[in-house]
Amino acid sequence: MAMAQFGATPNGGVCRLALSDADKAARDQFVRWCEAAGCAITIDQMGNIFARRAGKRVDSPPVMACSHLDSVPTGGKFDGTLGVLAALEVVETLNDSQVATDAPIVIASWTNEEGVRFAPAMIASGVFAGIFDLEFALGRVDKDGRNIRQELQRIGYAGTAECQRWPLGAVFELHIEQGPVLEAAGKQVGIVTGVPAIRWMRLVLEGQEAHAGSTPMHLRRDPVRAAVAILQNAYDYIKRFLPDARFTVGNLLAEPGVVNTIPGKLAITLDVRHPSDKVVTEIEQWWHRVARDNGAILEKLWVSPSVQFSPEGITAVEKAANVVGASAMHLGSGAGHDAVHLTRVAPTGMIFIPCKGGLSHNEAESITPQDAATGANVLLHAILQVAQLV
Ligand code: HGY
Ligand code: MN
Ligand code: MN
C-alpha cells in the first residue's frame, strides 16, 4: 500500500509508466527498503534492480524471486508490485528468523515489463535472457521519441553491470492471476503451467484528409469506414479459436484526430494471444491478408512464443503450496510475465493468487491481505526448497 503512493491515481490505482518519475520514486523506495534489509544492490545496463541476500555458500548459484514495478496507465496496486515486495518480505522474514540459506537469494525488479510506453513488453528481462539485443532495447522509443537509454540516464538507473544472464539455481515469480479462474474455483494459489503465445501488431490504414462538410460521402477515402468492416470481420474470425483465443484492440488513433477533418490515417493496435503458436501465426497471416486487401500497413511490434514452465519449476511451487497447506490448482496464465524469458535461463516457477473479480489493468484491482500472505509464504517455501541445499 505504501508503494502504491508512487504514481497514485485519484481512483485508487497507479500510473507508473516505465522510467517515469513515478517509476523512479518507486525504484528509489524499493532500493531503500532492500538496503535496510541488508541486501547488496546492483543495477544493470537496462536498469534492472537486483537486491542480493548473501548465502552461506558463495559458490552456489542464487535463487531469484522477481517481478516488476512499472504499470499500465490505469493500473492497479498489485500487478508486478506484489511479486517484488513479497520477495522483499521473504528476505525480511528470513532475517527476522535468523535463517541463513546455503544459496544467496536475489530479488529482481525488471524494467519495462508492461511494454506500454516502450514496446515490446518484458524487454529488460528479455535482454537478460538473451532474447533481445541490448542496443535494440536501449533504442526503443516512446510516443514522444524519448528512448530507454535517455530515460534510464534521466532517472539515474543507467547501471553499469552487464545486462546478461548469470547462473541461477531457480527463479520464482509471485503475481496476481489477473483473471477469474482461482476466485471462481475458490483456490488460494495457482500453480502456473505456462503463458500463451502473444503477438502485438499495428494496422495502419491510409485515407485522405479532407473537409468533413464539403466532401460528399462517395468522394471520400475514409479509413474509419474501412476499419468498421475489418473489425467486424476480426471479431467474427476470432470466434473459431475460442475459448482460448484473446483479441484486443487497445488503441485506435485517427490523425489528425479532429472533429471536422476526415482522418488521413487510422492506426489500430492488435493484441492476439493463444496457447498455440500455430494458431497465433494463422491469425497473424489473416491480418497480413487484411492489410494487403485494404492497401494497409501491418507493423509487427512483438512476438512472444508460447511458453510451458519446466516440471522442476512447477513441482517446486506444488511442494511449497503443500508445505503451506494452501488449496491450489494448475492453470495457464493469460498475461505475459518476465518469467516467460527467465524460464529459458533457469528452472522457473510462477505462483498466482486471486484478485477480486479477476480484474487487472484496472484501478480497482484488489487482493486480500490473507491471499497476499499465502502467496508470499508459498514463495518463501519455494525459494527455501532450492536455496536450502541441505
Ligand atoms: O501484456 C501483458 O500480458 C503484460 O501485462 N505485460
Ligand atoms: Mn504484471
Ligand atoms: Mn500488467
Side-chain angles (χ1 to χ4, degrees), residues 67-87:
S67 201
H68 62 94
L69 289 174
D70 67 306
S71 82
V72 292
T74 54
K77 299 184 179 75
F78 307 103
D79 174 358
T81 306
L82 171 73
V84 174
L85 297 188

Side-chain angles (χ1 to χ4, degrees), residues 90 316 319-321 323-324 376-386:
V90 163
K319 284 184 183 161
V323 166
V324 172
N377 275 313
V378 173
L379 179 65
L380 168 69
H381 288 284
I383 291 167
L384 284 180
Q385 277 176 64
V386 184

Side-chain angles (χ1 to χ4, degrees), residues 81-161:
T81 306
L82 171 73
V84 174
L85 297 188
L88 175 57
E89 181 64 28
V90 163
V91 165
E92 290 175 347
T93 301
L94 294 174
N95 291 347
D96 297 346
S97 320
Q98 277 130 29
V99 168
T101 54
D102 293 282
I105 292 171
V106 172
I107 309 170
S109 178
W110 302 107
T111 296
N112 191 43
E113 186 280 339
E114 293 294 357
V116 293
R117 180 182 175 193
F118 305 99
M122 298 120 77
I123 198 165
S125 56
V127 174
F128 178 86
I131 308 294
F132 298 120
D133 169 74
L134 177 67
E135 283 312 308
F136 162 79
L138 289 170
R140 302 304 287 166
V141 294
D142 66 7
K143 61 180 173 42
D144 303 321
R146 298 195 56 79
N147 68 32
I148 288 183
R149 174 187 274 107
Q150 291 163 327
E151 286 297 280
L152 283 171
Q153 282 156 356
R154 185 182 71 83
I155 67 167
Y157 278 89
T160 50

Side-chain angles (χ1 to χ4, degrees), residues 67-68 70 78-81 113-114 173 175-176 178 335-338 350 360-361:
S67 201
H68 62 94
D70 67 306
F78 307 103
D79 174 358
T81 306
E113 186 280 339
E114 293 294 357
E173 180 170 6
H175 205 287
I176 54 172
Q178 302 179 292
H337 300 285
D338 292 305
M350 271 205 90
S360 182
H361 285 193

